Amino acid sequence: MKNKWLAAPYVVWMALFVVAPLILVVIFAFTDKAGGITLDNFSNMATYIPAFQHSFVLAIAATVICILIGYPLAYFLSRESLMVRKVAMMLIMLPMWMNFLLRTYAWMSILDDNGLINQFLANIGFFNLINSIFGTNLQYIHMINTQGAIVLGMVYNFLPFMVLPIFSVIDKIDHRVIEAAQDLGANGTMVFRKVIFPLSLPGVLSGVTMVFIPSVSTFALSRLLGGGKTLLLGDLIEMQFLGNAYNPHLGSAIALVMMVIVLVMMAIMNRFGEGEEGVAVL
Amino acid sequence: MKKHYIPSRLFTLLVYIFLYAPIVLLIIFSFNATKSNRVWGGFSTQWYAELFHNARLLGALRTTIILSVLAAVIATLLGTAAAIGFYSMRRRSRSVFLAVNNIPLTNADIITGVSMMLLFVFAIGAFNSSFLSDLLGVRWKTGFGTLLIAHITFNAPYVILSVMPKLRQLDPNIYEAAQDLGASGFLAFRKVILPEIMPGVLNGLIIAFTMSIDDFVISYFTKGSGVTTLAVEIYTMVKKPVTPEINALSTLMFLVVFALLLTVNIRQARQETASARRKAKLNPGR
């Protein structure tokens, strides 16, 4: 069955539709409209430094929150019976299969100024209470079209991508390893700290990649939950290719810089991860 | 010991409420008699009726289904052949190709999207100004064709990733055994190899299909102006302030996905019990 030529059509396909497009991005990033070689696209990017900051800060925040929620959840679920684990994993995957735009749309009406959270708070007399104590005139809490709403959208949409890899790694941990640690006198916390946590790090690393990359490059979430007030890298790139600001050269340069920063971050993280794994094996 | 679990179970419950509350709200408000997503105005199914009269959305749904089926089938054929090819290669060339194969998986969707858009615009421009275009009298433009290429490109890596492990598990001798018994190369492949890797191939097909159905970003950049997919249409709908049909659509999609996942899980559970029973019969001592 050894026939390496079977790969030929796909190799040609990859060259045409994976490699060539990326080379085009590089070429576009270093040229101007007239076709001359230039670095202007990169020097013009200085105006957009806030977009870089916002994107990375919000994506890092969302990733950290996803770890803080997703890790305990995955760990707790791994201790449940087989049946519960199966149903729980199915329920984690179920929202993932629904288009993320629909899930985001739901939050738009929840976070609105006269949305469901504010209605609820008004109905239980929360605003009256606050107003009578502080003498203010609070009618609602402003939540939609803020950076917090964007982070919430990222966490809500991408949390399953954090839970699944962590869960599958913890679930595969050999129970004899844990029992051995217990036999050697480790208590619950020590077993977690010295055995389960180091062994689960690869899952955390792939979870981080799967949450961070879509978060840092999103444009739909900032448009829908941020009200277009916070310009993110995704918005910026989209504007250069399909929006009014049509300039694929600048867009390519921004995309290239974003890709390089993300790649460097992932490389550093994987290095760190491998180091941890090495320690765990020793 | 049980007492110890109560706080952790409460935490788990809260996370699930967080995950499902928005979806439950969408479902409730899909039956609202008024346009509002915030105030309940009585029970009605009018948004479902309107959904089924929304020609644009139905057209987008049809495009999406045709596109996803075609892209998944082509990606599965291309990817399975490629996986066998990669498997036959020497280690070094295999790892190079697998690294390239991983690019669409690790890259942000927006980068895959804009890079392919650049290629299509470039290639179409070159083609339309060439003598070939005049000769054939064809003007090429972005549309279903470019969408299909883009979808095949991001689907194939998933197929390869799900077929490769099955190939590694193969016993290398069985193919030769089949040939020794007189089977031609293709017959041996069809009778021996294919059944063994079939679960991986089918798995790849299903993943590819769902990825295609779900994709918004890459389609958004590669679709051109003529066609639209369901996800892109949803995006234009949710950008408007009030679109109650979206609630009805979400409810229906949720039910479809729920039914699908349930069937897959029940089938898996049945297969597992069946194989466990078979094993028990084979090893009665255990």
Side-chain angles (χ1 to χ4, degrees):
Chain A
M1 198 224 14
K2 299 268 174 198
N3 190 347
K4 56 185 172 192
W5 293 108
L6 278 171
Y10 184 59
V11 170
V12 174
W13 186 281
M14 285 199 296
L16 279 177
F17 301 117
V18 178
V19 180
L22 289 177
I23 293 174
L24 269 181
V25 169
V26 177
I27 293 174
F28 265 70
F30 286 100
T31 50
D32 56 22
K33 280 188 185 112
I37 293 172
T38 176
L39 289 174
D40 285 355
N41 296 321
F42 294 95
S43 51
N44 288 344
M45 231 182 280
T47 1
Y48 300 114
I49 285 175
F52 275 90
Q53 285 171 338
H54 284 143
S55 276
F56 279 90
V57 168
L58 296 189
I60 289 171
T63 310
V64 170
I65 297 173
C66 278
I67 295 177
L68 293 179
I69 300 174
Y71 194 97
L73 182 71
Y75 176 63
F76 295 151
L77 288 177
S78 72
R79 301 187 303 186
E80 299 288 347
S81 67
L82 185 68
M83 195 59 210
V84 175
R85 269 183 295 169
K86 280 213 159 139
V87 174
M89 278 306 117
M90 201 192 103
L91 287 177
I92 289 277
M93 275 190 270
L94 186 50
M96 263 164 77
W97 282 31
M98 236 173 103
N99 195 284
F100 83 104
L101 294 164
L102 295 176
R103 286 176 276 151
T104 310
Y105 172 74
W107 280 103
M108 290 165 73
S109 54
I110 296 174
L111 299 175
D112 202 67
D113 286 347
N114 46 27
L116 295 163
I117 292 180
N118 278 318
Q119 277 183 37
F120 173 75
L121 292 175
N123 285 340
I124 61 168
F126 175 77
F127 295 127
N128 289 339
L129 183 75
I130 297 283
N131 290 341
S132 60
I133 295 173
F134 298 105
T136 50
N137 187 23
L138 190 68
Q139 298 296 326
Y140 56 83
I141 301 173
H142 185 60
M143 286 173 285
I144 190 85
N145 301 346
T146 60
Q147 297 192 359
I150 301 177
V151 174
L152 179 90
M154 291 171 177
V155 171
Y156 181 72
N157 281 305
F158 306 132
L159 181 63
F161 294 108
M162 183 65 81
V163 178
L164 285 177
I166 298 179
F167 175 81
S168 63
V169 171
I170 296 184
D171 200 40
K172 281 198 192 91
I173 293 178
D174 191 341
H175 259 274
R176 285 170 298 183
V177 179
I178 296 169
E179 280 159 24
Q182 285 165 342
D183 288 347
L184 293 168
N187 59 22
T189 346
M190 263 172 86
V191 169
F192 178 77
R193 218 160 46 92
K194 294 277 181 188
V195 180
I196 297 175
F197 184 68
L199 285 177
S200 67
L201 271 181
V204 179
L205 289 184
S206 57
V208 167
T209 323
M210 285 163 79
V211 172
F212 183 75
I213 291 179
S215 296
V216 82
S217 61
T218 186
F219 67 93
L221 284 177
S222 47
R223 199 74 47 89
L224 297 176
L225 293 173
K229 276 187 193 160
T230 315
L231 191 68
L232 298 186
L233 282 178
D235 300 298
L236 207 54
I237 296 172
E238 193 255 357
M239 277 162 53
Q240 311 303 323
F241 282 93
L242 287 173
N244 304 327
Y246 187 75
N247 182 358
H249 297 276
L250 179 62
S252 298
I254 299 168
L256 188 64
V257 172
M258 180 178 90
M259 198 163 74
V260 169
I261 298 177
V262 170
L263 279 180
V264 169
M265 284 175 76
M266 293 303 143
I268 292 172
M269 207 182 64
N270 282 332
R271 249 285 160 66
F272 163 79
E274 273 163 26
E276 289 291 327
E277 232 174 318
V279 171
V281 171
L282 286 174
Chain B
M1 198 63 191
K2 282 277 165 227
K3 218 192 218 164
H4 185 72
Y5 278 13
I6 288 174
S8 65
R9 286 204 169 127
L10 192 69
F11 175 84
T12 308
L13 187 71
L14 283 176
V15 178
Y16 277 94
I17 290 175
F18 169 67
L19 282 178
Y20 279 89
I23 297 173
V24 171
L25 284 173
L26 282 183
I27 294 175
I28 293 173
F29 278 101
S30 74
F31 296 105
N32 197 0
T34 62
K35 266 188 144 200
S36 173
N37 249 352
R38 291 141 185 106
V39 185
W40 180 251
F43 182 86
S44 145
T45 53
Q46 57 170 320
W47 305 121
Y48 289 89
E50 244 166 72
L51 186 68
F52 288 112
H53 288 113
N54 189 333
R56 233 186 119 77
L57 202 67
L58 291 181
L61 177 67
R62 223 188 56 186
T63 312
T64 307
I65 291 175
I66 297 173
L67 172 73
S68 306
V69 169
L70 273 179
V73 169
I74 298 173
T76 305
L77 294 175
L78 198 65
T80 306
I84 295 171
F86 289 162
Y87 175 72
S88 320
M89 283 175 186
R90 260 187 244 132
R91 191 175 222 184
R92 185 175 291 172
S93 37
R94 177 170 56 199
S95 60
V96 171
F97 286 126
L98 282 179
V100 179
N101 181 55
N102 271 335
I103 293 176
L105 294 177
T106 40
N107 240 344
D109 279 358
I110 194 169
I111 291 181
T112 310
V114 297
S115 68
M116 293 195 86
M117 182 188 166
L118 278 181
L119 177 82
F120 292 146
V121 170
F122 182 79
I124 287 170
F127 174 81
N128 285 350
S129 59
S130 72
F131 74 96
L132 208 63
S133 170
D134 297 332
L135 194 72
L136 300 169
V138 192
R139 295 263 148 210
W140 189 20
K141 60 186 181 84
T142 48
F144 190 82
T146 50
L147 258 181
L148 185 62
I149 292 175
H151 277 240
I152 294 169
T153 308
F154 73 73
N155 278 341
Y158 291 102
V159 176
I160 290 173
L161 282 193
S162 69
V163 175
M164 277 306 257
K166 292 282 163 206
L167 285 169
R168 286 205 195 96
Q169 286 165 14
L170 274 183
D171 182 344
N173 297 322
I174 53 167
Y175 180 73
E176 279 163 27
Q179 281 185 317
D180 287 348
L181 291 169
S184 68
F186 182 70
L187 188 69
F189 171 75
R190 205 164 54 92
K191 290 279 182 190
V192 176
I193 306 294
L194 204 58
E196 288 284 315
I197 62 170
M198 211 49 191
V201 175
L202 283 181
N203 205 13
L205 184 77
I206 293 170
I207 298 174
F209 180 72
T210 53
M211 285 291 157
S212 267
I213 291 263
D214 205 44
D215 174 68
F216 160 65
V217 178
I218 297 171
S219 306
Y220 182 72
F221 285 103
T222 52
K223 74 180 178 54
S225 51
V227 287
T228 178
T229 69
L230 189 62
V232 175
E233 199 51 31
I234 289 172
Y235 182 62
T236 46
M237 283 175 88
V238 295
K239 273 201 296 190
K240 292 176 212 150
V242 194
T243 31
E245 294 113 301
I246 284 286
N247 297 334
L249 179 68
S250 308
T251 308
L252 293 179
M253 284 184 90
F254 182 78
L255 289 178
V256 169
V257 168
F258 187 64
L260 269 176
L261 262 181
L262 212 61
T263 342
V264 169
N265 272 290
I266 290 173
R267 261 196 55 196
Q268 251 177 12
R270 278 214 191 118
Q271 278 170 359
E272 271 163 29
T273 33
S275 74
R277 235 178 252 154
R278 227 174 298 141
K279 260 185 202 155
K281 263 184 203 160
L282 286 175
N283 311 314
R286 283 195 186 171

